[in-house]
Amino acid sequence: MRAKITGVGSHIPDVVRKNEEFMNHEFLNNDGSSFGSDNSTIIKKFVAITGIEERRYISDELVTSDIATLAALKAIEDASCDPETLDFIIIAHNYGDMNSDGGSSDMVPSLASRVKNKLGIKNPACIAYDVLFGCPGWILGVTQADSFIKSGLAKKVLVIGAEALSRVVDPHDRDSMIYSDGAGAAVLEASNNEHGIIGQATATYTEEEAFFIFNETSYNKELQDKTKYIKMYGRRIYNFALSKVPEGMKSAMEQAGVDIKDLKKIFIHQANEKMDEAIVNRFYKLYDMEVPKDIMPMIIHKYGNSSVATVPTVMDLVIHDKMPQHKVEKGDVVMFASVGAGMNINAIVYRY
């Protein structure tokens, strides 16, 4: 018995923010001092490193649980699933619901409870809870769903990744251009055939790595603003990811017992184009192989980094033929992989 994905869906927000819209921002160093470069140069270097040309933000009237619900509805429809038959609703996020005009993060009740309410599910045996695991949260939720199904505690689980990072970015931080909003979801059901999750690996590193991503006040010290925003040590994360993620991916492959040559796609967290390329390159070097063509679908250039939403979103786009150059057919082996705050890494090997 294993967990099989029977439906997927995503919500890509309508508000498009292109790089040129950041031309008038005042970007500062973490000590509040000015950059030595003009914004045109900063943005040009930013694109070269991250690949991001534009990103998506939710509209002012929406919050994270709203877009989580929209993605969930699409996954439920895709699975031809009666929502009342769901045993669990698992939502991965990091910042809860936040209004467009600021204020504190709202996580009580849980976003999963809010989504269950918005879906109109009345069944009290449908257990709803949140996962806070950094960007790898959606993959962890899928791993938990697989465990519930294997143990007999569940037959049908809805796993959602949703985030509105536009509500927690410091406009004076150059890294604010990385982040975006979005939601992705999948319905997983019990299967007794060869399809489904066949291998996984998860790890948490909490020595100095625990604080590579953190919350801190604005880089503009003149604001006297006590609000805390998402911050990160980009270079440290880059080096950590290149060191640890390929190892986790290899561990998942070994557990699955699948030949690396049978791997058709890698749905990797859309964190940074150059970093993702380097991770996959190093992963294949562990097998003394070159990276196969079109192994890694990328959407970061258009949609930015929406944290827990990136992996289910890119999967949804490929599965529903919205990325014509990428196909997944029945029997294909794919991998999900991510890295993020914690620092956490994980990977899943999945047979369609």
Side-chain angles (χ1 to χ4, degrees):
M1 191 66 67
R2 55 171 59 103
K4 176 183 177 181
I5 296 172
T6 57
V8 293
S10 63
H11 176 74
I12 297 170
D14 295 328
V15 180
V16 180
R17 291 292 305 276
K18 296 181 180 293
N19 286 349
E20 49 263 36
E21 296 182 52
F22 292 86
M23 285 297 294
N24 294 323
H25 277 232
E26 182 189 25
F27 293 120
L28 302 171
N29 292 306
N30 58 4
D31 62 359
S33 62
S34 179
F35 271 106
S37 304
D38 59 36
N39 282 9
S40 178
T41 301
I42 290 170
I43 292 171
K44 188 178 296 184
K45 290 181 178 178
F46 170 82
V47 176
I49 295 170
T50 67
I52 300 172
E53 298 173 357
E54 59 187 57
R55 72 283 298 141
R56 299 297 183 100
Y57 291 166
I58 60 174
S59 51
D60 288 349
E61 74 276 9
L62 297 174
V63 291
T64 302
S65 60
D66 291 325
I67 62 173
T69 303
L70 293 171
L73 285 167
K74 291 180 181 178
I76 289 168
E77 180 182 9
D78 193 45
S80 298
C81 164
D82 177 359
E84 293 292 341
T85 64
L86 291 169
D87 297 298
F88 286 89
I89 297 174
I90 305 171
I91 296 190
H93 67 93
N94 296 292
Y95 290 96
D97 280 350
M98 293 190 68
N99 294 325
S100 60
D101 58 358
S104 60
S105 177
D106 185 357
M107 297 189 189
V108 180
S110 71
L111 266 61
S113 291
R114 299 177 197 203
V115 170
K116 181 181 175 182
N117 173 271
K118 291 174 183 181
L119 291 174
I121 297 172
K122 295 179 172 57
N123 178 12
C126 172
I127 309 303
Y129 71 91
D130 294 1
V131 168
L132 275 70
F133 197 67
C135 295
W138 181 83
I139 294 179
L140 181 68
V142 170
T143 301
Q144 292 176 347
D146 185 50
S147 297
F148 287 141
I149 287 170
K150 285 179 175 175
S151 68
L153 291 174
K155 293 183 179 179
K156 198 174 296 182
V157 182
L158 171 64
V159 184
I160 309 166
E163 197 66 89
L165 292 176
S166 64
R167 304 276 167 89
V168 294
V169 293
D170 174 9
H172 299 283
D173 183 352
R174 175 179 51 179
D175 290 338
S176 65
M177 292 189 290
I178 292 173
Y179 301 115
S180 65
D181 307 339
V187 174
L188 294 97
E189 300 186 43
S191 170
N192 57 9
N193 57 31
E194 72 274 15
H195 303 287
I197 296 170
I198 55 178
Q200 67 88 21
T202 307
T204 297
Y205 297 84
T206 55
E207 294 182 57
E208 63 170 355
E209 306 95 346
F211 302 99
F212 284 175
I213 298 176
F214 55 98
N215 288 339
E216 190 53 84
T217 53
S218 173
Y219 286 166
N220 188 341
K221 309 305 178 185
E222 296 180 1
L223 292 177
Q224 301 295 311
D225 181 4
K226 294 183 179 180
T227 302
K228 291 191 174 182
Y229 305 92
I230 184 172
K231 303 288 183 179
M232 68 177 176
Y233 297 125
R235 174 52 61 178
R236 295 182 189 180
I237 294 171
Y238 186 95
N239 291 334
F240 170 84
L242 262 61
S243 171
K244 302 300 182 184
V245 179
E247 294 176 2
M249 295 165 71
K250 189 171 189 291
S251 294
M253 288 294 293
E254 290 172 349
Q255 186 184 113
V258 175
D259 191 312
I260 183 65
K261 294 178 182 177
D262 292 331
L263 185 62
K264 301 300 183 183
K265 294 293 175 189
I266 297 174
F267 297 125
I268 196 166
H269 168 47
Q270 309 285 297
N272 173 315
E273 188 173 57
K274 294 297 183 185
M275 186 177 84
D276 288 348
E277 289 173 351
I279 288 170
V280 172
N281 183 63
R282 190 163 293 192
F283 169 60
Y284 275 96
K285 279 189 175 180
L286 295 175
Y287 296 90
D288 296 320
M289 285 179 59
E290 295 294 320
V291 177
K293 184 180 179 182
D294 293 331
I295 193 74
M296 183 178 65
M298 293 296 294
I299 59 173
I300 193 171
H301 61 288
K302 286 185 66 177
Y303 302 134
N305 176 353
S306 55
S307 184
V308 290
T310 67
V311 173
T313 298
V314 69
M315 174 184 66
D316 175 44
L317 294 176
V318 171
I319 294 302
H320 288 122
D321 298 321
K322 295 180 180 178
M323 298 182 71
Q325 70 275 34
H326 296 284
K327 299 288 184 184
V328 173
E329 299 177 349
K330 187 175 181 180
D332 282 352
V333 174
V334 304
M335 176 180 285
F336 309 130
S338 188
V339 56
M343 288 291 288
N344 301 308
I345 65 165
N346 52 16
I348 286 175
V349 181
Y350 184 90
R351 189 189 302 278
Y352 271 95

